[in-house]
Amino acid sequence: MTDVEELVADEGRLEWDTPLFRTALAQFEQAIPYADVNESIAERLRYPERSVMVAVPVRRDEGHVEVFPAYRVQHSSVLGPTKGGIRYDPHVSLGECAALAVWMTWKCSLLRLPYGGAKGGVRCDPRALSPAELQRLTRRYTSELMGVIGPQEDIPAPDMATNEQTMAWIMDTYSMQVGYAVPEIVTGKPVALGGSLFRHEATGAGVVMVIERACQRLGWNFPGQRCVVQGFGNVGGIAAQELASKDAAVLGVSDISGGIYSEAGLDLGAVRAWVAAHGTLEDYPDVQHVTNSELLELPCDILVLAALEGQVTGENAPRIDAQLVVEGANGPTTIEGDAILAERSILVLPDVLTNAGGVTVSYFEWVQDLGRLFWTRDEIRARLAEKLADAFDRVWALSEEKGISLRQAALVAGINEVAGALKARGIYP
Ligand code: GLU
């Protein structure tokens, strides 16, 4: 057994034992020697505070009832309510939610948002469910979680395969149960319900703000950088569009059906129009078609991983042909992949910093809802840029000062915020 396997296999942590939770714990162990944390506090932070599992019965359109396993994991409430997305995906498990909740804690504390991390999800194939079925699933899942979510307890948001409509159903279900409208129960809602301007674009736009800052630090000229983006959803699609709008060259993009590549650069307006008309990138004309794994190995300057976890691994990391790897998704690089990229001097912009634009504008949304006072789009964009630049600069400085990776530095910065608060509060009673 490796150290990490031993650590997770420790009887106390068996329930959460999945490859992704091991990755989150291994990253924590890599950061801890550089953080200002005593062992009692570190031990507390290795466990999510609360893990809820429910079985959600849903009447299918044909009439029979199907039951879906569903989860909500809250990692740390030291700094405030817990915060994090809800995903609908066939791979959702308790361990996956726990890993993602842990990352949400470091993401929020690194950005100095008064939140801890959470994540939830329903194990289902969202593409096999009709809109009416998704609505029933969402409403029943929300009812099952009534006792553990709340504007001061735990605030859900969109994640994989959930969107503004999903958040509207959650907001309505919660509000109907308490008897009045509670917009601040979720973020990522439609603007008509108290959602924030710029929340929809925030994660993808934030990814590009972080890339621009990194290019400045590296002395690279941003326009003209050759980029490949894995994922064409809310993160990858928007990031690709932002990259192109700032004159970077987007050579390749992919979705669930595979990737497309053109050495001359893609016309993203035409690609978006194709996807809107046909559903996927499949059969898009006059480009080279590649698989998702081939896409990752295309020669480029900047590779943006904005699809799934576990994409760059010990197996393919030796063949990654980029200078900068950018984690738009959560956990797209395994521990082995990360080590190989480091050995090859390929810089990685870590997820907890790079994709934090989403939760940062979620925080702005929650603050606006609580104050019943709404900001302009320009105000939100400017505040987001300021928050991300501040976090980036702290991470960069810490990485230089301690001679550690940007991921270690991002985690150390996040862990120190939580540990400082936990030390001051103490262990109850
Ligand atoms: N699901 C997103 C993330 O992983 C957003 C979370 C939020 O806005 O609360 O960061």
Side-chain angles (χ1 to χ4, degrees):
M1 266 208 232
T2 66
D3 289 354
V4 181
E5 274 166 343
E6 242 166 64
L7 191 74
V8 187
D10 179 286
E11 259 178 47
R13 275 178 284 269
L14 268 183
E15 286 80 356
W16 299 282
D17 187 11
T18 59
L20 209 65
F21 190 62
R22 289 181 184 203
T23 304
L25 262 194
Q27 290 177 355
F28 180 75
E29 299 310 327
Q30 289 174 347
I32 277 295
Y34 304 93
D36 184 17
V37 184
N38 69 40
E39 180 45 33
S40 305
I41 287 179
E43 182 61 358
R44 176 68 182 111
L45 295 173
R46 288 186 185 106
Y47 288 82
E49 283 177 14
R50 183 191 263 160
S51 304
V52 179
M53 181 178 174
V54 292
V56 177
V58 177
R59 189 168 297 283
R60 300 296 303 262
D61 291 340
E62 320 78 66
H64 75 281
V65 170
E66 202 170 324
V67 180
F68 298 93
Y71 310 86
R72 184 74 180 167
V73 177
Q74 301 165 347
H75 173 245
S76 171
S77 62
V78 177
L79 286 166
T82 52
K83 185 87 192 77
I86 286 175
R87 56 171 61 180
Y88 294 166
D89 188 81
H91 299 106
V92 168
S93 67
L94 191 70
E96 185 187 74
C97 291
L100 293 159
V102 168
W103 284 322
M104 284 308 299
T105 297
W106 313 140
K107 198 185 297 188
C108 293
S109 57
L110 168 62
L111 270 289
R112 297 192 166 144
L113 312 178
Y115 292 139
K119 191 75 82 177
V122 181
R123 191 189 307 154
C124 63
D125 177 1
R127 280 170 294 274
L129 296 170
S130 70
E133 290 167 338
L134 284 170
Q135 175 167 183
R136 290 194 288 274
L137 173 85
T138 303
R139 289 184 179 280
R140 182 60 189 258
Y141 173 60
T142 307
S143 318
E144 296 293 336
L145 293 183
M146 279 303 288
V148 297
I149 59 171
Q152 299 300 336
E153 284 102 33
D154 180 15
I155 306 141
D159 200 83
M160 280 161 51
T162 57
N163 55 25
E164 283 92 344
Q165 178 60 74
T166 323
M167 297 305 116
W169 290 327
I170 296 178
M171 182 270 182
D172 183 66
T173 305
Y174 188 89
S175 299
M176 293 313 289
Q177 305 250 350
V178 299
Y180 50 90
V182 189
E184 59 273 23
I185 177 62
V186 282
T187 58
K189 303 175 285 294
V191 172
L193 288 183
S196 180
L197 297 172
F198 204 61
R199 173 62 187 87
H200 182 76
E201 305 92 309
T203 313
V207 167
V208 177
M209 290 176 187
V210 174
I211 297 175
E212 277 186 289
R213 196 90 182 162
C215 287
Q216 272 171 22
R217 285 303 180 117
L218 292 164
W220 297 2
N221 196 16
F222 182 85
Q225 294 296 327
R226 295 167 312 135
C227 308
V228 168
V229 182
Q230 186 196 30
F232 205 61
N234 188 40
V235 184
I238 307 254
Q241 198 177 313
E242 286 274 321
L243 285 166
S245 76
K246 293 174 184 235
D247 295 327
V250 179
L251 309 186
V253 296
S254 70
D255 66 10
I256 193 164
S257 72
I260 57 173
Y261 177 71
S262 159
E263 233 179 287
L266 297 166
D267 173 353
L268 286 173
V271 175
R272 265 200 317 279
W274 177 273
V275 171
H278 300 86
T280 69
L281 295 167
E282 211 176 345
D283 299 330
Y284 182 76
D286 304 327
V287 291
Q288 191 184 331
H289 282 262
V290 291
T291 63
N292 251 299
S293 48
E294 286 164 350
L295 181 103
L296 297 178
E297 297 172 22
L298 291 170
C300 61
D301 301 309
I302 301 175
L303 173 64
V304 181
L305 305 171
L308 296 165
E309 45 255 25
Q311 296 300 294
V312 172
T313 63
E315 197 279 314
N316 65 1
R319 298 188 302 277
I320 297 294
D321 198 357
Q323 311 279 322
L324 184 67
V325 170
V326 179
E327 296 187 330
N330 292 308
T333 311
T334 65
I335 293 293
E336 297 75 21
D338 216 22
I340 293 171
L341 295 180
E343 234 168 69
R344 298 184 56 216
S345 304
I346 298 173
L347 199 64
V348 178
L349 297 179
D351 46 9
V352 294
L353 168 66
T354 311
N355 69 31
V359 72
T360 302
V361 177
S362 275
Y363 165 62
F364 297 159
E365 179 172 332
W366 180 72
V367 168
Q368 292 172 82
D369 289 338
L370 289 172
R372 303 288 193 265
L373 181 68
F374 293 88
W375 312 343
T376 65
R377 192 185 166 81
D378 286 349
E379 217 171 326
I380 294 163
R381 200 180 167 113
R383 282 181 196 246
L384 173 63
E386 200 181 306
K387 275 262 179 215
L388 287 173
D390 171 61
F392 181 92
D393 291 350
R394 282 184 283 118
V395 169
W396 192 273
L398 200 60
S399 134
E400 287 197 326
E401 184 203 321
K402 302 215 185 249
I404 53 180
S405 70
L406 293 174
R407 185 189 314 284
Q408 280 170 304
L411 259 54
V412 168
I415 291 167
N416 281 346
E417 299 280 335
V418 182
L422 189 51
K423 197 169 164 200
R425 286 184 61 163
I427 299 286
Y428 180 83

